[in-house]
Every structure is written in C-alpha cells, then in structure tokens.
Amino acid sequence: MARKRKRNTKLSVVLALVALALVYTFQGQQKPEAVTEQAVTPTESPASPSRQTKEARRKGIEIPAYLTDRDEEIVQHTGFTLSYNKARLLPNWVAWVLTAERTKGTLKRANNFQPDEGIKARPIAYDSDYRGSGYDRGHQCPSADCKYDRDAMNQCFLLSNICPQTHALNAGDWEELEKLCRKWAVAYDSIYIVSGPIIERGVEYDKIGSNGVTVPKQFYKVVLRWDGNRNAEAIGFIFDNDSSHKPLRQHAVTVDSVERRTGIDFFSKLPKDVERRAEATYDCDRWQNLP
C-alpha cells in the first residue's frame, strides 16, 4: 500500500511539472503577439501641426484666469464663453476661438436679441434697456463669427454678449477689426479672441434702461495666434466709446497694457515663457492687412 502511494506522489509531481512547462510555453508564444498589437502600423504617423493646433483649442487657451475682484459668473455657450458681471449687467469678457473653417459659415444674421435666462445671477439686461437709449447693442462676439452653427448664431444675440456702444464705434472701427479678425483666422488657420468693456474703479459711468446697464467709456479686444508649441504672437486694441475714427494701428497696444487697464489675466494657460513674450510686445507689420 505504501509503495502504491509513493508511485501516486511521483506521478503528481510529474504532472505538475508538465503543466508548469505548458504554462511557460503558452506565455512565450503570446509575447510576440502582444508586441505586434502594440506596434505602430506603417499607416500611422506623428500628429501634424494642424492636429496639434486643434488639440490646443480644446485646452481653452482663450479663457482668461478667474476674477476675484469683481462679480463673475462663467457662462458657456456654443460659440463663446463669457464672464458675467451682475453689478454692471455686462460681460467682464467674452472669449472664443475663430477658425478658418468657421469663417465659411453661411447662416443669416438672426437679429433676435434676448435676455440670457441661463445666467443664475440677477439682475440681467433686457432688450427694453437698450430701446431709445441712443446706443447700439454692440456684440462682443460678432454674429458674423457665428454663421457656422444655428445655436451659436442665436446665442450671440443674448444680451450677455452685448454692451452699449455708440453707433460710430459699433459700425466703424469696431466692425473694421471684426472683419480683419476673420481675415486673420483664414490666414493663420485659427486665432483666439477676448473682447469686452473697460470698467475701472472710481470712475462714474452712465447707465441705461430700467435695470441700469452700465455704459462703458472704452472697450478692448486682444487677439492671439499660436502654433501649439513655442511660437505665439499677440496684439491688443483699445477703443473709445465715442464718435472718433482712426486707423486700427492707432488703437493697437500690447496685451500687457490691456491687462493693466482691465485687471484681467489673458491667455494664462499658455506656457509661461510663451505668454510673457507674446504679451509684452506687438508688431503691427506681423499682422496681415492691419491698416
């Protein structure tokens, strides 16, 4: 009986060794297959510059840093993002990406000004505040930049994207820069834009309407072009909200200058050294067709 038990034990050991050998053999056969699956196929290639630019757009490069010194509610719409100030019934800023593709939109101007009921803070501006005020409903993100999408077009007429502007500014130098930005988007593939009113502490401002929409004395716009790597160029503009007219070059300033006037940190998601270089200087001659 003991001899039989001994033979069974030897047989168990042999079977265990055979099973272990089969496992190692199976794993060895699987290794080459796993490597083959992970290998880059001949049809794959590294991301092209255009793809890198598209990936950069998703990072929200156009969105300024959060504000802590004034009212702010961030509102995301289809074609733009804005920072709403309930004390002024105005945006602190409106930011969007304008691409060459988006400039090809064919939708007609909606012209349906509406209160932005999606804003949680109150009060908000209504169309009645502008009627008979003597001021245009001045778009920050213009309707012509939103012709690519029906929702974007409708939302750009929300009054959270609107400020009181003189007709001379709205239909003059302001509109001229809007048109130029669309040319830049085509020339440079995409540009990042932030626009809004300049509201300074200690300054008295007129108001319009029963809800008291603040009438800014000046407006700003900053524009960035960036290749997604180390090359970036930025330029700022400041406009008086009056009847004056002058070449756009005479409105041009550094983005740093606009930051000092507004207290807003633009393009803060860029690599810091890229941001510093781009915002510290500007060269009108490096911006195509700038009059």
Side-chain angles (χ1 to χ4, degrees):
M1 188 73 176
R3 192 177 301 163
K4 185 177 181 180
R5 189 179 299 114
K6 192 172 182 180
R7 283 200 302 269
N8 289 340
T9 301
K10 288 182 178 179
L11 180 61
S12 298
V13 171
V14 170
L15 290 173
L17 290 172
V18 170
L20 188 60
L22 288 172
V23 168
Y24 279 112
T25 301
F26 178 77
Q27 289 178 341
Q29 290 173 345
Q30 292 300 304
K31 261 187 175 180
E33 185 179 350
V35 170
T36 302
E37 289 175 351
Q38 294 173 3
V40 176
T41 63
T43 57
E44 292 177 340
S45 60
S48 65
S50 61
R51 182 178 172 186
Q52 290 174 353
T53 302
K54 290 177 181 177
E55 290 172 354
R57 291 176 196 150
R58 300 191 192 107
K59 297 178 182 177
I61 295 299
E62 76 279 10
I63 307 300
Y66 287 114
L67 297 170
T68 58
D69 62 345
R70 72 202 79 174
D71 286 324
E72 176 172 72
E73 179 182 337
I74 304 298
V75 183
Q76 177 73 58
H77 289 301
T78 300
F80 57 91
T81 303
L82 66 88
S83 164
Y84 177 68
N85 187 326
K86 71 176 186 292
R88 300 293 183 178
L89 279 69
L90 298 174
N92 295 306
W93 51 258
V94 180
W96 67 103
V97 181
L98 185 58
T99 67
E101 183 179 358
R102 289 182 174 183
T103 64
K104 299 174 185 176
T106 58
L107 292 174
K108 292 183 178 180
R109 178 184 170 94
N111 219 33
N112 55 344
F113 293 96
Q114 299 289 329
D116 191 342
E117 299 290 358
I119 291 176
K120 297 176 183 178
R122 289 295 189 271
I124 58 175
Y126 287 83
D127 194 44
S128 57
D129 291 316
Y130 285 82
R131 288 195 209 115
S133 67
Y135 289 95
D136 284 7
R137 301 168 185 84
H139 284 80
Q140 300 309 293
C141 178
S143 61
D145 288 10
C146 297
K147 290 182 175 182
Y148 64 93
D149 183 271
R150 176 59 62 189
D151 287 338
M153 173 59 72
N154 287 329
Q155 290 167 4
C156 84
F157 282 89
L158 294 173
L159 291 166
S160 56
N161 181 46
I162 303 298
C163 294
Q165 288 185 329
T166 63
H167 180 70
L169 174 62
N170 188 36
D173 295 356
W174 189 256
E175 184 179 22
E176 185 178 3
L177 181 56
E178 290 174 341
K179 291 178 179 177
L180 184 55
C181 283
R182 287 189 282 277
K183 291 181 180 179
W184 286 342
V186 172
Y188 307 129
D189 181 61
S190 63
I191 57 174
Y192 304 84
I193 308 172
V194 190
S195 178
I198 296 177
I199 302 295
E200 297 176 294
R201 291 182 179 179
V203 177
E204 292 292 328
Y205 293 94
D206 294 335
K207 295 185 177 183
I208 59 171
S210 59
N211 291 296
V213 179
T214 298
V215 179
K217 297 180 185 295
Q218 291 180 307
F219 289 89
Y220 69 86
K221 184 166 286 186
V222 293
V223 183
L224 168 77
R225 69 178 193 260
W226 181 45
D227 68 354
N229 293 303
R230 313 304 299 174
N231 299 313
E233 299 252 1
I235 190 168
F237 298 87
I238 292 178
F239 298 86
D240 292 328
N241 194 17
D242 59 19
S243 59
S244 62
H245 170 72
K246 55 188 178 183
L248 290 178
R249 286 173 180 256
Q250 294 184 31
H251 294 289
V253 296
T254 64
V255 173
D256 279 343
S257 296
V258 180
E259 288 184 335
R260 286 191 290 271
R261 292 291 310 281
T262 62
I264 300 173
D265 184 5
F266 302 105
F267 311 128
S268 61
K269 294 182 179 65
L270 284 172
K272 290 305 173 188
D273 59 328
V274 175
E275 180 190 3
R276 282 193 294 269
R277 287 196 306 269
E279 295 182 352
T281 186
Y282 70 96
D283 184 346
C284 290
D285 292 332
R286 293 180 62 83
W287 290 87
Q288 192 175 100
N289 300 318
L290 179 61

